[in-house]
Short mmCIF file of all heavy atoms in Angstrom, two decimals:
data_model
loop_
_atom_site.label_atom_id
_atom_site.label_comp_id
_atom_site.label_asym_id
_atom_site.label_seq_id
_atom_site.Cartn_x
_atom_site.Cartn_y
_atom_site.Cartn_z
N ASP A 630 74.66 56.30 34.85
CA ASP A 630 74.30 55.50 33.70
C ASP A 630 73.52 54.25 34.04
O ASP A 630 73.75 53.16 33.60
CB ASP A 630 75.54 55.09 32.94
CG ASP A 630 76.24 56.26 32.28
OD1 ASP A 630 75.55 57.31 32.04
OD2 ASP A 630 77.46 56.20 31.99
N GLY A 631 72.49 54.40 34.98
CA GLY A 631 71.64 53.30 35.34
C GLY A 631 72.17 52.34 36.38
O GLY A 631 71.57 51.38 36.72
N HIS A 632 73.35 52.63 36.89
CA HIS A 632 73.97 51.79 37.95
C HIS A 632 74.02 52.59 39.25
O HIS A 632 74.29 53.77 39.27
CB HIS A 632 75.39 51.37 37.56
CG HIS A 632 75.48 50.56 36.34
ND1 HIS A 632 75.19 49.23 36.30
CD2 HIS A 632 75.65 50.91 35.01
CE1 HIS A 632 75.30 48.72 35.05
NE2 HIS A 632 75.62 49.74 34.26
N THR A 633 73.68 51.89 40.36
CA THR A 633 73.67 52.57 41.66
C THR A 633 74.92 52.25 42.47
O THR A 633 75.37 51.13 42.59
CB THR A 633 72.40 52.15 42.44
OG1 THR A 633 71.22 52.46 41.64
CG2 THR A 633 72.31 52.89 43.76
N PHE A 634 75.56 53.32 42.98
CA PHE A 634 76.68 53.27 43.84
C PHE A 634 76.34 53.85 45.19
O PHE A 634 75.32 54.55 45.29
CB PHE A 634 77.85 54.06 43.22
CG PHE A 634 78.27 53.52 41.84
CD1 PHE A 634 77.63 54.01 40.71
CD2 PHE A 634 79.27 52.58 41.71
CE1 PHE A 634 77.98 53.53 39.44
CE2 PHE A 634 79.61 52.11 40.45
CZ PHE A 634 78.95 52.57 39.31
N LEU A 635 77.14 53.64 46.19
CA LEU A 635 76.89 54.23 47.52
C LEU A 635 77.87 55.29 47.81
O LEU A 635 79.10 55.08 47.75
CB LEU A 635 77.01 53.08 48.58
CG LEU A 635 76.78 53.58 50.02
CD1 LEU A 635 75.38 54.11 50.21
CD2 LEU A 635 77.05 52.40 50.97
N ALA A 636 77.42 56.50 48.10
CA ALA A 636 78.23 57.64 48.44
C ALA A 636 78.24 57.76 49.98
O ALA A 636 77.23 57.68 50.65
CB ALA A 636 77.72 58.94 47.83
N VAL A 637 79.47 57.94 50.47
CA VAL A 637 79.66 58.06 51.95
C VAL A 637 80.40 59.38 52.23
O VAL A 637 81.47 59.59 51.65
CB VAL A 637 80.49 56.89 52.51
CG1 VAL A 637 80.60 57.00 54.02
CG2 VAL A 637 79.84 55.57 52.14
N SER A 638 79.81 60.20 53.12
CA SER A 638 80.44 61.41 53.61
C SER A 638 80.58 61.37 55.09
O SER A 638 79.57 61.07 55.78
CB SER A 638 79.65 62.64 53.27
OG SER A 638 79.51 62.80 51.87
N VAL A 639 81.76 61.53 55.62
CA VAL A 639 81.97 61.55 57.03
C VAL A 639 82.51 62.93 57.45
O VAL A 639 83.58 63.31 57.08
CB VAL A 639 82.99 60.45 57.51
CG1 VAL A 639 83.16 60.51 59.00
CG2 VAL A 639 82.57 59.07 57.04
N LEU A 640 81.65 63.65 58.21
CA LEU A 640 82.05 65.00 58.60
C LEU A 640 82.88 64.96 59.87
O LEU A 640 82.45 64.40 60.92
CB LEU A 640 80.79 65.85 58.87
CG LEU A 640 79.81 66.03 57.69
CD1 LEU A 640 78.60 66.83 58.12
CD2 LEU A 640 80.54 66.70 56.50
N LEU A 641 84.10 65.40 59.77
CA LEU A 641 85.07 65.40 60.88
C LEU A 641 85.47 66.84 61.13
O LEU A 641 85.30 67.71 60.28
CB LEU A 641 86.28 64.55 60.54
CG LEU A 641 86.02 63.09 60.24
CD1 LEU A 641 87.25 62.42 59.70
CD2 LEU A 641 85.52 62.37 61.52
N PRO A 642 86.07 67.15 62.32
CA PRO A 642 86.54 68.48 62.54
C PRO A 642 87.58 68.87 61.49
O PRO A 642 88.52 68.12 61.20
CB PRO A 642 87.19 68.38 63.91
CG PRO A 642 86.50 67.23 64.58
CD PRO A 642 86.21 66.28 63.46
N LYS A 643 87.30 69.95 60.78
CA LYS A 643 88.19 70.59 59.78
C LYS A 643 88.42 69.73 58.53
O LYS A 643 89.26 70.08 57.70
CB LYS A 643 89.55 70.90 60.43
CG LYS A 643 89.44 71.86 61.57
CD LYS A 643 90.79 72.20 62.16
CE LYS A 643 90.57 73.10 63.38
NZ LYS A 643 91.80 73.54 63.97
N THR A 644 87.65 68.65 58.30
CA THR A 644 87.75 67.89 57.09
C THR A 644 86.48 67.03 56.91
O THR A 644 85.75 66.79 57.82
CB THR A 644 89.00 67.05 57.07
OG1 THR A 644 89.23 66.58 55.74
CG2 THR A 644 88.87 65.84 58.00
N THR A 645 86.28 66.59 55.68
CA THR A 645 85.22 65.63 55.39
C THR A 645 85.83 64.54 54.56
O THR A 645 86.50 64.77 53.57
CB THR A 645 84.12 66.32 54.57
OG1 THR A 645 83.63 67.46 55.28
CG2 THR A 645 83.01 65.42 54.23
N LEU A 646 85.61 63.29 54.98
CA LEU A 646 86.07 62.15 54.20
C LEU A 646 84.93 61.81 53.20
O LEU A 646 83.76 61.76 53.58
CB LEU A 646 86.30 60.94 55.10
CG LEU A 646 87.34 61.10 56.18
CD1 LEU A 646 87.43 59.85 57.07
CD2 LEU A 646 88.68 61.39 55.57
N LEU A 647 85.33 61.60 51.98
CA LEU A 647 84.31 61.30 50.89
C LEU A 647 84.70 59.99 50.21
O LEU A 647 85.93 59.77 49.89
CB LEU A 647 84.35 62.43 49.84
CG LEU A 647 84.03 63.83 50.36
CD1 LEU A 647 84.38 64.84 49.24
CD2 LEU A 647 82.61 63.92 50.79
N ALA A 648 83.77 59.17 49.91
CA ALA A 648 83.99 57.95 49.15
C ALA A 648 82.75 57.56 48.35
O ALA A 648 81.60 57.87 48.82
CB ALA A 648 84.38 56.81 50.08
N VAL A 649 82.95 56.93 47.21
CA VAL A 649 81.81 56.35 46.50
C VAL A 649 82.27 54.93 46.12
O VAL A 649 83.36 54.72 45.64
CB VAL A 649 81.51 57.10 45.19
CG1 VAL A 649 80.34 56.52 44.43
CG2 VAL A 649 81.19 58.57 45.51
N THR A 650 81.43 53.98 46.45
CA THR A 650 81.80 52.60 46.33
C THR A 650 80.85 51.77 45.46
O THR A 650 79.68 52.08 45.36
CB THR A 650 81.94 51.99 47.73
OG1 THR A 650 82.43 50.61 47.67
CG2 THR A 650 80.62 51.98 48.48
N SER A 651 81.41 50.69 44.94
CA SER A 651 80.64 49.68 44.23
C SER A 651 80.97 48.39 44.96
O SER A 651 81.61 48.38 45.95
CB SER A 651 81.10 49.55 42.76
OG SER A 651 82.35 48.92 42.65
N ASP A 652 80.48 47.25 44.44
CA ASP A 652 80.83 45.98 45.05
C ASP A 652 82.25 45.54 44.85
O ASP A 652 82.81 44.74 45.56
CB ASP A 652 79.92 44.89 44.45
CG ASP A 652 78.47 45.00 44.94
OD1 ASP A 652 78.22 45.68 45.92
OD2 ASP A 652 77.60 44.45 44.20
N LYS A 653 82.94 46.13 43.83
CA LYS A 653 84.34 45.74 43.48
C LYS A 653 85.37 46.67 44.01
O LYS A 653 86.52 46.32 44.24
CB LYS A 653 84.50 45.66 41.98
CG LYS A 653 83.74 44.54 41.36
CD LYS A 653 84.08 44.43 39.91
CE LYS A 653 83.37 43.25 39.23
NZ LYS A 653 83.65 43.16 37.83
N GLY A 654 85.08 47.96 44.16
CA GLY A 654 86.06 48.95 44.55
C GLY A 654 85.48 50.26 44.90
O GLY A 654 84.25 50.43 45.04
N TYR A 655 86.36 51.32 44.95
CA TYR A 655 85.85 52.63 45.37
C TYR A 655 86.80 53.73 44.93
O TYR A 655 87.94 53.51 44.57
CB TYR A 655 85.65 52.68 46.89
CG TYR A 655 86.87 52.40 47.70
CD1 TYR A 655 87.77 53.41 48.12
CD2 TYR A 655 87.17 51.04 48.05
CE1 TYR A 655 88.88 53.09 48.86
CE2 TYR A 655 88.33 50.75 48.82
CZ TYR A 655 89.18 51.76 49.20
OH TYR A 655 90.24 51.49 49.96
N ILE A 656 86.22 54.98 44.94
CA ILE A 656 87.06 56.16 44.77
C ILE A 656 86.90 56.92 46.05
O ILE A 656 85.89 56.81 46.77
CB ILE A 656 86.66 56.98 43.54
CG1 ILE A 656 85.16 57.47 43.62
CG2 ILE A 656 86.92 56.25 42.26
CD1 ILE A 656 84.73 58.46 42.54
N MET A 657 87.94 57.69 46.36
CA MET A 657 87.95 58.41 47.66
C MET A 657 88.65 59.73 47.50
O MET A 657 89.44 59.95 46.60
CB MET A 657 88.58 57.54 48.73
CG MET A 657 88.36 58.02 50.15
SD MET A 657 88.93 56.75 51.34
CE MET A 657 89.01 57.71 52.79
N CYS A 658 88.48 60.59 48.50
CA CYS A 658 89.16 61.88 48.56
C CYS A 658 90.64 61.66 48.89
O CYS A 658 91.11 60.54 49.02
CB CYS A 658 88.52 62.73 49.60
SG CYS A 658 88.63 62.16 51.31
N GLY A 659 91.36 62.75 49.05
CA GLY A 659 92.77 62.71 49.31
C GLY A 659 93.20 62.01 50.53
O GLY A 659 94.40 61.71 50.73
N ALA A 660 92.33 61.63 51.41
CA ALA A 660 92.68 60.90 52.65
C ALA A 660 93.10 59.43 52.33
O ALA A 660 93.73 58.82 53.16
CB ALA A 660 91.57 60.92 53.66
N LEU A 661 92.78 58.97 51.14
CA LEU A 661 93.19 57.58 50.75
C LEU A 661 94.67 57.47 50.53
O LEU A 661 95.23 58.28 49.84
CB LEU A 661 92.36 57.19 49.49
CG LEU A 661 92.69 55.77 48.97
CD1 LEU A 661 92.19 54.74 49.93
CD2 LEU A 661 92.04 55.61 47.60
N ASP A 662 95.28 56.52 51.12
CA ASP A 662 96.70 56.28 50.96
C ASP A 662 96.92 55.10 50.00
O ASP A 662 96.97 53.96 50.37
CB ASP A 662 97.32 55.94 52.33
CG ASP A 662 98.86 55.86 52.29
OD1 ASP A 662 99.41 55.73 51.23
OD2 ASP A 662 99.45 55.93 53.43
N VAL A 663 97.06 55.49 48.73
CA VAL A 663 97.21 54.49 47.62
C VAL A 663 98.50 53.69 47.86
O VAL A 663 98.53 52.45 47.63
CB VAL A 663 97.16 55.13 46.29
CG1 VAL A 663 97.53 54.14 45.17
CG2 VAL A 663 95.76 55.65 46.00
N GLY A 664 99.58 54.36 48.26
CA GLY A 664 100.79 53.64 48.55
C GLY A 664 100.64 52.54 49.58
O GLY A 664 101.21 51.47 49.40
N LEU A 665 99.92 52.84 50.66
CA LEU A 665 99.69 51.76 51.65
C LEU A 665 98.90 50.65 51.10
O LEU A 665 99.27 49.44 51.31
CB LEU A 665 98.88 52.43 52.83
CG LEU A 665 98.43 51.43 53.91
CD1 LEU A 665 99.62 51.05 54.80
CD2 LEU A 665 97.32 51.98 54.70
N LEU A 666 97.90 50.90 50.25
CA LEU A 666 97.14 49.80 49.66
C LEU A 666 98.00 48.95 48.74
O LEU A 666 97.85 47.73 48.68
CB LEU A 666 95.94 50.38 48.91
CG LEU A 666 94.91 51.15 49.73
CD1 LEU A 666 93.77 51.67 48.84
CD2 LEU A 666 94.33 50.32 50.87
N ASN A 667 98.85 49.63 47.96
CA ASN A 667 99.68 48.88 47.00
C ASN A 667 100.82 48.11 47.65
O ASN A 667 101.15 47.03 47.19
CB ASN A 667 100.31 49.87 45.99
CG ASN A 667 99.35 50.31 44.92
OD1 ASN A 667 98.41 49.60 44.61
ND2 ASN A 667 99.65 51.45 44.31
N GLU A 668 101.35 48.64 48.73
CA GLU A 668 102.53 48.00 49.30
C GLU A 668 102.18 47.15 50.57
O GLU A 668 102.41 45.94 50.53
CB GLU A 668 103.54 49.05 49.72
CG GLU A 668 104.04 49.73 48.42
CD GLU A 668 104.82 51.06 48.67
OE1 GLU A 668 105.28 51.27 49.85
OE2 GLU A 668 104.88 51.88 47.76
N LYS A 669 101.63 47.72 51.55
CA LYS A 669 101.38 46.99 52.79
C LYS A 669 100.17 46.03 52.71
O LYS A 669 100.10 45.04 53.39
CB LYS A 669 101.21 47.95 53.98
CG LYS A 669 102.33 48.89 54.19
CD LYS A 669 103.43 48.21 54.92
CE LYS A 669 104.52 49.24 55.26
NZ LYS A 669 105.75 48.68 55.69
N LEU A 670 99.19 46.45 51.90
CA LEU A 670 97.94 45.67 51.83
C LEU A 670 97.77 45.05 50.44
O LEU A 670 96.65 44.73 50.04
CB LEU A 670 96.75 46.55 52.15
CG LEU A 670 96.80 47.22 53.53
CD1 LEU A 670 95.61 48.12 53.71
CD2 LEU A 670 96.86 46.22 54.66
N LYS A 671 98.84 44.87 49.68
CA LYS A 671 98.73 44.32 48.28
C LYS A 671 98.07 42.99 48.22
O LYS A 671 97.39 42.68 47.25
CB LYS A 671 100.10 44.33 47.64
CG LYS A 671 101.14 43.40 48.20
CD LYS A 671 102.45 43.47 47.49
CE LYS A 671 103.45 42.65 48.21
NZ LYS A 671 104.78 42.86 47.66
N ASP A 672 98.19 42.16 49.25
CA ASP A 672 97.49 40.87 49.22
C ASP A 672 96.01 40.95 49.21
O ASP A 672 95.30 40.04 48.82
CB ASP A 672 97.97 40.03 50.41
CG ASP A 672 97.65 40.66 51.78
OD1 ASP A 672 97.92 41.83 51.96
OD2 ASP A 672 97.14 39.92 52.63
N ARG A 673 95.44 42.13 49.58
CA ARG A 673 94.00 42.29 49.59
C ARG A 673 93.47 42.66 48.15
O ARG A 673 92.23 42.64 47.94
CB ARG A 673 93.58 43.43 50.55
CG ARG A 673 93.91 43.06 51.96
CD ARG A 673 93.41 44.09 52.92
NE ARG A 673 93.91 43.87 54.27
CZ ARG A 673 93.54 44.55 55.33
NH1 ARG A 673 92.71 45.56 55.17
NH2 ARG A 673 94.07 44.24 56.51
N LYS A 674 94.40 43.04 47.29
CA LYS A 674 94.04 43.37 45.88
C LYS A 674 92.87 44.35 45.77
O LYS A 674 91.91 44.16 45.10
CB LYS A 674 93.70 42.10 45.11
CG LYS A 674 94.85 41.14 45.06
CD LYS A 674 94.61 39.90 44.23
CE LYS A 674 95.85 39.01 44.32
NZ LYS A 674 95.80 37.99 43.31
N ILE A 675 93.06 45.48 46.47
CA ILE A 675 91.98 46.52 46.55
C ILE A 675 91.98 47.37 45.25
O ILE A 675 93.03 47.83 44.79
CB ILE A 675 92.24 47.42 47.76
CG1 ILE A 675 92.13 46.56 49.04
CG2 ILE A 675 91.30 48.63 47.79
CD1 ILE A 675 92.52 47.27 50.33
N ILE A 676 90.81 47.54 44.72
CA ILE A 676 90.57 48.38 43.54
C ILE A 676 90.13 49.75 44.04
O ILE A 676 89.00 49.86 44.68
CB ILE A 676 89.53 47.75 42.59
CG1 ILE A 676 90.03 46.42 42.08
CG2 ILE A 676 89.16 48.73 41.47
CD1 ILE A 676 88.98 45.64 41.30
N ALA A 677 90.95 50.79 43.90
CA ALA A 677 90.63 52.09 44.40
C ALA A 677 91.34 53.18 43.68
O ALA A 677 92.39 52.95 43.07
CB ALA A 677 90.96 52.15 45.95
N GLY A 678 90.75 54.36 43.78
CA GLY A 678 91.33 55.56 43.18
C GLY A 678 91.20 56.75 44.12
O GLY A 678 90.29 56.80 44.93
N ARG A 679 92.13 57.69 43.97
CA ARG A 679 92.19 58.87 44.87
C ARG A 679 92.12 60.15 44.09
O ARG A 679 92.84 60.33 43.10
CB ARG A 679 93.50 58.79 45.62
CG ARG A 679 93.79 59.93 46.49
CD ARG A 679 95.16 59.78 47.10
NE ARG A 679 95.45 60.79 48.14
CZ ARG A 679 96.47 61.61 48.12
NH1 ARG A 679 97.38 61.53 47.11
NH2 ARG A 679 96.63 62.46 49.06
N ALA A 680 91.20 61.05 44.49
CA ALA A 680 91.10 62.38 43.90
C ALA A 680 91.42 63.34 45.03
O ALA A 680 90.97 63.24 46.15
CB ALA A 680 89.71 62.62 43.35
#
Side-chain angles (χ1 to χ4, degrees):
D630 293 337
H632 298 278
T633 303
F634 301 88
L635 179 62
V637 182
S638 300
V639 181
L640 301 177
L641 299 171
K643 301 182 184 181
T644 194
T645 302
L646 299 178
L647 302 168
V649 181
T650 185
S651 74
D652 290 340
K653 290 185 179 180
Y655 57 92
I656 58 172
M657 192 171 165
C658 65
L661 180 66
D662 187 343
V663 171
L665 174 77
L666 298 179
N667 280 338
E668 295 165 20
K669 303 282 186 192
L670 303 176
K671 65 183 172 188
D672 60 313
R673 296 185 189 185
K674 299 183 180 194
I675 296 170
I676 297 170
R679 174 182 188 237

